[in-house]
Amino acid sequence: MSDSTIFDRIINKEIPADILYEDDKALAFKDINPQAPVHFLVIPKQRIVTANDINEDNAELVGHLYVIAAKLAKQLGFDQDGYRAVMNCNPDGGQTVYHIHLHVLAGKAMGWPPYQDKLKV
Ligand code: AMP
């Protein structure tokens, strides 16, 4: 497992991103490959590798990501229509960047269930 990901380069402003929100603990920016009319990521600046690494010590930071998502939903005007906030974990969850991030998707009605293939079990 490498020490850093592309998200560290975004946090450090080494590569550009379309930043929607930033504070000392977190950052929100538009996804480069949007899967909905609105698609942005909310990430902690401190790296947490996967959702499996969420625990009592970082729970407040992870909760902060949801607070930012809710604030941006209001600010961008899709809070009432609704949205999906999801965190993919490891290969079966579809995780490709190993620095946790909340995907916030909006602007159309989301399908459910989220998978297209047959159930694994
Ligand atoms: P996941 O597959 O859940 O790990 O999500 C990773 C997300 O990061 C994908 O939706 C990518 O499109 C997005 N992504 C990767 N590189 C960048 C980048 N440089 N700027 C913005 N989004 C990115």
Side-chain angles (χ1 to χ4, degrees):
M1 183 69 60
S2 94
D3 285 347
S4 68
T5 73
I6 194 159
F7 290 175
D8 288 296
R9 302 186 65 203
I10 291 175
I11 293 164
N12 295 327
K13 311 283 161 56
E14 291 162 9
I15 57 170
D18 198 339
I19 294 174
L20 300 172
Y21 174 89
E22 179 167 19
D23 63 26
D24 56 329
K25 298 188 289 283
L27 190 66
F29 53 92
K30 289 188 185 172
D31 196 294
I32 204 167
N33 182 23
Q35 301 301 315
V38 176
H39 185 180
F40 60 83
L41 307 173
V42 191
I43 70 170
K45 287 189 171 174
Q46 172 203 310
R47 185 180 180 208
I48 299 169
V49 177
T50 79
N52 288 330
D53 303 303
I54 297 172
N55 55 42
E56 288 75 11
D57 293 337
N58 57 32
E60 195 174 322
L61 178 58
V62 175
H64 185 57
L65 306 182
Y66 283 91
V67 172
I68 293 166
K71 280 185 179 161
L72 284 172
K74 278 194 198 79
Q75 210 177 91
L76 299 174
F78 59 80
D79 56 322
Q80 294 307 310
D81 281 345
Y83 56 98
R84 182 161 295 164
V86 65
M87 190 177 288
N88 298 329
C89 181
N90 278 341
D92 276 6
Q95 184 173 8
T96 58
V97 179
Y98 282 76
H99 178 139
I100 65 161
H101 45 283
L102 199 56
H103 289 264
V104 179
L105 301 132
K108 66 175 186 182
M110 303 294 148
W112 192 265
Y115 52 82
Q116 286 150 3
D117 300 327
K118 285 183 188 157
L119 284 177
K120 202 175 170 185
V121 286

